[in-house]
Amino acid sequence: ENMEATYKEYKKKLWFNGAPSYINSQLVKRLAVAYCTNVSVTPKSVSSLAYLLTMMKISDDEAAESFVEACRENPNSMAIASKVLFYSEHVFKDKSAKKKMTPLIKQLTKMFDGVEAVMGQQKEMAESAYRDAVAEAGPGQEKMTQGWKVLGLDKETAT
């Protein structure tokens, strides 16, 4: 509810800055930067971003284009680029949208000195987010903590 109200309010503000077709791409671009700057990677943040893009009726392809553009506008921000790649891998279902992340992967490959380093960093981001979720759930849990699938982890890694 809170997310929907915020989206509607922000959309009204953007309405005055451009045509309706401009609104969604501009909003998604700003969302990508704000989300990747201010929100920690958690199972909930992955699910929330997926829900938000669905609520906005943004296709994976449109979101991918806006995410890549946001990274182009912030070329020196490794944090934004890393989180955009992470979220795109875990939120986008469409293969063509994931392919649109290729320039971002190339950018990160240069920053991290290789594809293996990028993939290792992405895996560490998922594992760290899950460790935080487990710690937040507290000791004495009888079931596995929720969120490992959303983060792209296998059951073995999550236990």
Side-chain angles (χ1 to χ4, degrees), residues 81-140:
S82 293
K83 284 185 179 180
V84 162
L85 180 60
F86 185 86
Y87 284 123
S88 70
E89 284 294 316
H90 297 85
V91 171
F92 299 160
K93 304 291 183 237
D94 191 351
K95 288 183 182 180
S96 67
K98 289 183 179 188
K99 274 191 165 186
K100 289 183 180 186
M101 293 291 129
T102 301
L104 181 59
I105 294 170
K106 289 179 181 177
Q107 176 186 347
L108 284 168
T109 299
K110 289 177 186 174
M111 291 177 167
F112 279 101
D113 290 330
V115 174
E116 289 93 26
V118 173
M119 294 303 124
Q121 187 268 348
Q122 294 288 300
K123 184 178 181 195
E124 176 54 35
M125 195 181 304
E127 291 174 358
S128 176
Y130 188 68
R131 280 192 300 273
D132 291 347
V134 170
E136 187 177 312

Side-chain angles (χ1 to χ4, degrees), residues 140-144:
Q141 299 175 60
E142 294 181 17
K143 295 181 181 177
M144 280 183 66

Side-chain angles (χ1 to χ4, degrees), residues 65-76 100 103-104 107:
E65 289 169 9
S66 294
F67 279 23
V68 169
E69 186 61 32
C71 290
R72 283 190 184 125
E73 291 177 5
N74 298 278
N76 298 322
K100 289 183 180 186
L104 181 59
Q107 176 186 347

Side-chain angles (χ1 to χ4, degrees), residues 11-24 26 30:
K11 190 172 179 178
K12 285 179 195 174
K13 289 178 184 178
L14 278 177
W15 180 261
F16 296 107
N17 292 329
S21 61
Y22 168 82
I23 291 172
N24 277 343
Q26 193 64 17
R30 290 180 185 181

Side-chain angles (χ1 to χ4, degrees), residues 23-49:
I23 291 172
N24 277 343
S25 64
Q26 193 64 17
L27 183 59
V28 172
K29 199 166 32 171
R30 290 180 185 181
L31 169 74
V33 173
Y35 211 78
C36 293
T37 303
N38 301 317
V39 178
S40 297
V41 173
T42 65
K44 185 177 180 178
S45 70
V46 173
S47 299
S48 294
L49 182 59

